[in-house]
């Protein structure tokens, strides 16, 4: 067995009021993918930040290639061969791909001038090592590239810096299926080239697909180490400390499905064709389809962001033609965009205050960061309790919460608006299995209280497990409607085959 490239021993780290890591030991070897998993707030990102010098450990040791290291700044770890790819990229958006790759270490010509040609040539060489890199132009401006491409640029940068350790913290959170598949190939390639890869994810399928070994953190401690990839149940058990029976499928509805909350007839706009859709009180409708199928466009139309140009929308018995999110919200539609940055968390405010803010889409720009005047405190706390938010207290600054827990505070914010129709877009992205089950139950409770729920998710098992009915879209139109219990195969067929093609 090869010696570890990176070794962390007995790492302890506390933040005010939280012991984030206690006595954690962890290592990764050259040529392997080590999955680092655990619930929201388990300490994964903190461990990585200690490895890379963003945070200092209270105690414990880090060794790189057998030598003790004490990084006090991420630049030091970067130069020592540790590249961390965070979800928030560190590229400069206004510079080109090549400039970003060589930032601070540009090749120089005779007179000390930057050798642009050499830079471009070397960038090309590195990008060409990867199938999805080969498509990238070294001269394109980074800010104009999509998320997947920017991520590939980050990876190319790690490779050109000859990183021995490459850390990816939830790298697929913003990628579609095709982009994910391309990323997995890139990860395989990096492993073949001998990098030690530390891969943080909440998705069991990715662990199965990629990992050689698995380390599970729970409440800041190592809960399990696997030298192979065990069955998902075993990982979940170690993460959560018990079995989760319904980690995909929440209980089926036992409530009466009521009258339609929403009916759209013949809805059209530039991106949508002839949409007929009904969501009834008490039901969860899953909206499936591949990236670009029009699911988000449909949500945006319902929400008044990119309105229908023809057709009829009836909400709770009244015909509407929403032309702004504000109108949609006033009429009783809530939309959870699934991207916490867009939702504008105020990092310096408490968890409770964040949950009490007016959702951004509702308020005019000058009034975002304003409290929702209708929110009542005990109800907010009740909602936060139901979301099972892991925080020292609701008075704590939200910036100290893990990503998944921040997400839950946003869900609470929307629920405080008492919507009749709730549209969830990728509601469990970045949320751990246990909290996911919590969100499914919460959706179910909301439906039972009489709301209609439209759920857009790229996680097919999630749609199948959580929805009472499934509507499939392709190329801006609805291609199929299934009752509960449809198979993955049937849904994929409706999502990808030419319209009219037999199953
Ligand atoms: N800067 C900080 N200030 C205060 N507390 C923090 C800070 N960073 C992390 N914590 C706390 O440390 C614990 C571990 O957080 P961490 O971000 O490492 O979790 P994680 O495993 O990465 O979770 P997620 O899956 O949600 O990203 C949490 O309780 C979190 O609230
Ligand atoms: Mg994290």
């Amino acid at each position: 067995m090869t010696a570890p490239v990176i070794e962390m021993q007995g790492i302890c780290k506390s933040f005010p009021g939280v012991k984030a890591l206690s006595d954690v030991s962890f290592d990764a070897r050259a040529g392997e993918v080590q999955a680092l998993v655990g619930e929201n707030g388990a300490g994964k990102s903190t461990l990585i930040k200690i490895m890379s010098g963003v945070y200092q450990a209270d105690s414990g040791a880090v060794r790189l290639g057998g030598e003790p290291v004490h990084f006090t700044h991420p630049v030091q770890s970067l130069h020592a061969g540790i590249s961390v790819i965070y979800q928030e990229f560190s590229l400069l958006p206004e510079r080109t791909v090549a400039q970003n790759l060589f930032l601070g270490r540009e090749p120089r010509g005779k007179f000390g001038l930057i050798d642009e040609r050499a830079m471009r040539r070397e960038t090309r060489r590195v990008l060409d090592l990867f199938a999805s890199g080969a498509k990238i132009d070294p001269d394109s401006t980074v800010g104009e590239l999509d998320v997947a491409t920017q991520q590939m640029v980050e990876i190319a940068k790690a490779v050109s810096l000859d990183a021995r350790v490459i850390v990816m913290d939830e790298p697929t959170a913003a990628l579609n299926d095709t982009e994910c598949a391309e990323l997995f190939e890139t990860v395989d390639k990096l492993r073949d080239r001998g990098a030690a890869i530390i891969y943080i994810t909440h998705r069991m399928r990715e662990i199965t697909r990629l990992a050689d070994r698995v380390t599970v953190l729970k409440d800041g401690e190592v809960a399990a180490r696997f030298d192979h990839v065990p069955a998902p149940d075993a990982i979940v058990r170690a993460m959560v400390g018990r079995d989760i029976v319904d980690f995909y499928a929440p209980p089926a509805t036992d409530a009466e499905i009521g009258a339609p909350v929403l009916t759209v007839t013949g809805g059209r706009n530039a991106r949508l064709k002839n949409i007929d859709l009904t969501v009834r009180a008490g039901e969860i409708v899953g909206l499936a389809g591949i990236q670009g199928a029009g699911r988000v466009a449909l949500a945006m139309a319902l929400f008044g962001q990119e309105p229908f140009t023809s057709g009829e929308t009836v909400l709770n018995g009244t015909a509407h033609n929403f032309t702004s999110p504000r109108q949609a919200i006033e009429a009783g539609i809530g939309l959870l965009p699934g991207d916490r940055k867009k939702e504008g968390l105020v990092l310096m405010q408490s968890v409770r205050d964040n949950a009490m803010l007016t959702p951004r889409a509702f308020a005019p720009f000058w009034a975002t960061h304003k409290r929702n005047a209708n929110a009542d405190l005990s109800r907010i706390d009740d909602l936060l309790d139901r979301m099972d938010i892991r925080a020292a207290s609701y008075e704590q600054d939200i910036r100290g919460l893990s990503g998944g827990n921040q997400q839950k505070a946003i869900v609470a914010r929307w629920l405080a608006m008492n919507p009749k129709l709730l549209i969830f877009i990728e509601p469990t992205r970045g949320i751990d299995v246990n909290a996911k089950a919590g969100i499914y139950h919460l959706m179910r409770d909301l439906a039972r209280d009489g709301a209609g729920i439209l759920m857009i998710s790229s996680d097919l098992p999630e749609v199948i497990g959580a929805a009472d009915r499934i509507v499939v879209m392709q190329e801006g139109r609805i291609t199929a409607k299934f009752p509960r219990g449809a198979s993955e195969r049937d849904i994929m067929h409706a999502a990808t085959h030419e319209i009219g093609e037999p199953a």
Side-chain angles (χ1 to χ4, degrees), residues 40-41 43-46 169-170 200 202 402-404:
N40 296 130
K44 305 177 296 292
S45 298
T46 304
D169 195 345
E170 297 187 41
I200 299 178
H202 289 294
S402 72

Side-chain angles (χ1 to χ4, degrees), residues 179-249:
E179 292 163 345
C180 285
E182 287 180 353
L183 176 74
F184 299 158
E185 277 173 30
T186 303
V187 172
D188 287 339
K189 233 3 198 306
L190 292 168
R191 167 176 32 208
D192 293 347
R193 292 174 54 87
I197 296 152
I198 299 166
Y199 191 97
I200 299 178
T201 183
H202 289 294
R203 298 180 178 172
M204 293 300 143
R205 289 188 186 193
E206 295 179 3
I207 303 172
T208 314
R209 161 72 177 79
L210 289 171
D212 301 299
R213 291 196 294 151
V214 184
T215 296
V216 182
L217 289 182
K218 177 168 171 53
D219 300 329
E221 294 177 22
V222 175
R225 278 194 194 86
F226 299 98
D227 275 327
H228 59 282
V229 179
D233 308 8
I235 299 176
V236 171
R237 202 177 305 125
M239 278 172 61
V240 183
R242 60 183 167 81
D243 287 317
I244 294 191
V245 227
D246 55 356
F247 73 87
Y248 275 131

Side-chain angles (χ1 to χ4, degrees), residues 318-491:
T318 313
H320 287 279
N321 186 14
F322 305 127
T323 52
S324 76
R326 203 192 163 98
Q327 294 170 359
I329 297 171
E330 265 159 1
I333 297 184
L335 179 139
L336 282 105
D339 175 349
R340 38 182 182 269
K341 279 211 204 120
K342 277 198 197 124
E343 271 288 287
L345 285 174
V346 184
L347 297 176
M348 310 298 277
Q349 286 190 14
S350 74
V351 175
R352 185 186 288 125
D353 284 344
N354 267 283
M356 290 179 72
L357 291 178
T358 306
R360 176 166 272 192
F362 184 41
F365 73 94
W366 48 263
T368 47
H369 301 183
K370 248 177 87 170
R371 277 190 181 195
N372 167 11
N374 301 323
D376 101 52
L377 210 69
S378 63
R379 182 163 146 72
I380 291 281
D381 282 5
D382 182 43
L383 289 168
L384 289 168
D385 289 346
R386 272 165 78 179
M387 298 306 300
D388 191 22
I389 291 183
R390 304 284 166 88
S393 84
Y394 297 150
E395 305 292 336
Q396 185 195 335
D397 275 6
I398 202 158
R399 88 188 130 146
L401 258 59
S402 72
N405 281 302
Q406 293 183 355
Q407 175 90 336
K408 292 188 236 168
I410 293 172
V411 177
R413 176 190 293 181
W414 276 99
L415 296 186
M417 309 291 296
N418 271 324
K420 299 186 178 61
L421 174 75
L422 256 173
I423 306 170
F424 285 84
I425 304 181
E426 307 289 357
T428 61
R429 194 167 260 180
I431 291 192
D432 69 54
V433 273
N434 195 26
K436 269 184 196 175
I439 289 199
Y440 302 143
H441 281 274
L442 189 88
M443 282 192 200
R444 188 50 76 200
D445 286 350
L446 293 167
R448 197 171 288 129
D449 290 349
I453 293 179
L454 186 64
M455 177 180 81
I456 298 179
S457 168
S458 301
D459 188 346
L460 209 44
E462 168 170 295
V463 178
I464 293 172
D468 299 313
R469 286 194 300 123
I470 296 167
V471 173
V472 188
M473 289 187 73
Q474 190 191 152
E475 290 174 19
R477 58 181 104 224
I478 290 172
T479 50
K481 292 177 182 171
F482 295 105
R484 190 181 176 88
S487 73
E488 209 159 321
R489 186 178 166 274
D490 289 346
I491 295 171

